Amino acid sequence: MDTEFLQKCIKKIKVQNIENADVEVINKSPLKMMGKGRQGAVFQFTDDICVKVFGNEEDCEREHYALSLGKDSDLFPKVHAKGPLYIAMDIVKGVDVREYLQSQPLTKELSSKLIEMLITFKEIGFERIDHHKRQIYVQPDGNLKVIDVARTVWRDRVYPYPRKLLTSLGEEYKTLFLTHVAEMAPELHEEWKHYIQMEEISREIYQSILSQYKGKELKKQSQKLLTKNNDSSYASSLEGLVHKVFKEEWVKTMLAIGHNPDDIMDKIDEYWDRRELEFENEMKPNRGYEPRRQVDIGKMTGRTWSMDKGKQGEKGRYDEKNYREDKDKREKSEHQGNKWNKITFDERGRRKRRFK
């Protein structure tokens, strides 16, 4: 073929991709356009050879790679030349399956050839064993040829059954085709049926989730989880976070160097209790300190003691010595001999439980 003349023609053809639409074509060459699609436009070069011009190099590389995988099969057109944005190949003659089924029935013989086509796809390495009926041509001798194979390779996600082919056949021929598959390849039919059912279930789940989702209401309700804009909640949350991280990292560090886990936990509790008491002593009532909540410590300690929010003076203060004495008595009387399930109380009377 005259590749020099072909390249001159290609320079006079401009193809531009359009999102979700067929390409736009500016043709100033003598070549006649035969048709166009999402990736490119096809022009007749000779009686037997056409040239497909692409809108981008990636689609051109995809299609050329896919055709090269099937170069030893009669299912694909033969490639004669290639450039960055074009592929020259045999013209696929005959009639596509879409038009064929408008005047002819879907026979078991045709269904058999469609299954053989899918087997070839799998054998040569196509990642998508699927194709639309308008891209499958029935030849005068009854064999099939396939065009537009760019999307059969380099796919991240594919259907594990020929979904596009089945959908394009329409409900009547889809049912008939699956009946033929069940007769000729029952195990294959069962697998396809399984994937079809899984797809239907997935769609039902999606619709259920979609019907339950209330974006505005969720946004409003989620405000209840926010703590950063509330000073007291933020301080409490941050304190708990620091305490948790410190405890976890200390345990991992001590275990790594061979310390007893029970001794580690006791030392952590002692350390953190001491730090919290130091903080309480620093925040004296005459400095305007307000406890973060009101609690009745008497229920836990046996003392008549309460925290009166906003009151001044030493009323309601609980010194470290009394706290230590009550803590030791509680642990000895209530949890003697159980070192792995020990309940302790902090200086605010909050109950803490530690499990092994």
Side-chain angles (χ1 to χ4, degrees):
M1 61 177 294
D2 189 349
T3 56
E4 184 177 350
F5 175 67
L6 173 62
Q7 291 176 2
K8 290 180 180 179
C9 292
I10 296 298
K11 292 179 180 179
K12 297 179 180 181
I13 299 173
K14 183 177 181 181
V15 175
Q16 182 177 355
N17 290 105
I18 305 297
E19 186 175 0
N20 299 322
D22 290 346
V23 295
E24 288 186 355
V25 179
I26 299 176
N27 181 20
K28 296 182 180 181
S29 75
L31 304 183
K32 178 182 177 182
M33 187 170 75
M34 302 173 63
K36 64 179 182 177
R38 297 296 177 91
Q39 286 85 46
V42 179
F43 302 85
Q44 184 173 357
F45 187 66
T46 69
D47 291 341
D48 299 315
I49 297 175
C50 66
V51 57
K52 185 172 182 178
V53 183
F54 295 83
N56 61 74
E57 294 186 11
E58 182 180 358
D59 285 334
C60 184
E61 289 298 326
R62 283 176 182 269
E63 180 131 344
H64 183 260
Y65 175 71
L67 290 172
S68 66
L69 291 177
K71 67 180 184 303
D72 296 327
S73 170
D74 294 333
L75 194 59
F76 309 97
K78 179 182 177 181
V79 175
H80 296 278
K82 180 195 176 293
L85 287 172
Y86 74 88
I87 301 174
M89 65 189 90
D90 286 342
I91 293 177
V92 174
K93 299 178 181 179
V95 59
D96 66 59
V97 173
R98 176 182 54 184
E99 295 180 352
Y100 179 85
L101 292 178
Q102 291 178 0
S103 59
Q104 303 297 324
L106 177 62
T107 62
K108 187 180 292 187
E109 288 74 21
L110 179 56
S111 294
S112 175
K113 291 184 181 297
L114 290 171
I115 296 174
E116 292 173 359
M117 177 195 73
L118 299 177
I119 294 172
T120 300
F121 282 6
K122 193 72 172 181
E123 288 178 341
I124 65 177
F126 281 4
E127 296 169 5
R128 191 185 76 185
I129 55 165
D130 199 4
H131 228 48
H132 197 284
K133 64 181 180 180
R134 68 172 178 269
Q135 298 162 334
I136 306 168
Y137 281 73
V138 181
Q139 303 296 289
D141 60 2
N143 290 320
L144 302 181
K145 278 196 180 292
V146 177
I147 64 170
D148 295 340
V149 292
R151 298 303 184 187
T152 59
V153 293
W154 304 344
R155 304 288 291 184
D156 294 332
R157 292 177 294 275
V158 297
Y159 284 96
Y161 74 100
R163 178 180 181 274
K164 182 178 287 188
L165 174 60
L166 292 175
T167 302
S168 68
L169 288 174
E171 287 300 321
E172 181 181 353
Y173 281 133
K174 173 184 176 181
T175 303
L176 181 57
F177 177 64
L178 289 175
T179 301
H180 293 161
V181 175
E183 294 177 7
M184 295 182 289
E187 189 174 355
L188 179 63
H189 176 265
E190 286 300 314
E191 179 169 311
W192 287 359
K193 184 179 177 181
H194 168 76
Y195 284 125
I196 292 172
Q197 291 174 344
M198 290 300 101
E199 182 181 354
E200 292 173 353
I201 293 173
S202 299
R203 293 186 183 281
E204 291 175 2
I205 293 173
Y206 172 76
Q207 292 299 327
S208 177
I209 294 174
L210 189 64
S211 64
Q212 295 174 15
Y213 176 72
K214 300 177 181 178
K216 293 183 179 179
E217 181 179 342
L218 180 62
K219 183 177 180 180
K220 182 178 180 181
Q221 294 294 328
S222 66
Q223 300 293 318
K224 297 177 182 178
L225 298 175
L226 300 179
T227 59
K228 190 176 178 181
N229 294 330
N230 185 305
D231 291 342
S232 60
S233 295
Y234 176 67
S236 177
S237 300
L238 194 59
E239 176 189 355
L241 176 64
V242 173
H243 189 171
K244 186 69 174 177
V245 172
F246 174 80
K247 195 169 185 177
E248 290 178 349
E249 295 304 315
W250 193 1
V251 168
K252 286 190 284 187
T253 301
M254 293 298 102
L255 288 176
I257 58 178
H259 284 276
N260 184 289
D262 193 46
D263 293 341
I264 295 172
M265 300 301 289
D266 287 341
K267 290 183 180 297
I268 290 175
D269 288 338
E270 292 174 5
Y271 172 81
W272 207 261
D273 288 343
R274 185 171 65 253
R275 292 300 304 270
E276 288 184 336
L277 283 171
E278 291 173 356
F279 175 76
E280 291 287 344
N281 290 331
E282 290 176 0
M283 303 299 291
K284 296 291 184 179
N286 57 12
R287 297 182 186 177
Y289 169 67
E290 290 187 353
R292 285 178 296 175
R293 61 173 182 165
Q294 297 182 12
V295 294
D296 186 0
I297 305 299
K299 294 181 180 179
M300 296 183 178
T301 65
R303 287 174 173 267
T304 302
W305 189 89
S306 64
M307 299 172 70
D308 296 329
K309 185 176 181 180
K311 295 295 182 69
Q312 299 294 319
E314 293 298 324
K315 181 180 179 181
R317 302 305 301 164
Y318 197 25
D319 61 30
E320 183 175 358
K321 180 180 179 182
N322 291 333
Y323 167 75
R324 290 295 179 190
E325 291 176 354
D326 283 349
K327 178 184 176 184
D328 293 341
K329 289 177 182 179
R330 288 195 305 273
E331 292 184 353
K332 183 177 180 180
S333 62
E334 297 179 15
H335 314 289
Q336 188 172 8
N338 186 358
K339 66 179 181 178
W340 291 108
N341 189 12
K342 185 186 294 181
I343 299 176
T344 60
F345 299 87
D346 63 15
E347 76 285 356
R348 299 187 183 91
R350 293 180 299 188
R351 188 171 178 173
K352 301 187 295 184
R353 182 184 295 271
R354 184 177 75 248
F355 293 96
K356 181 177 177 181

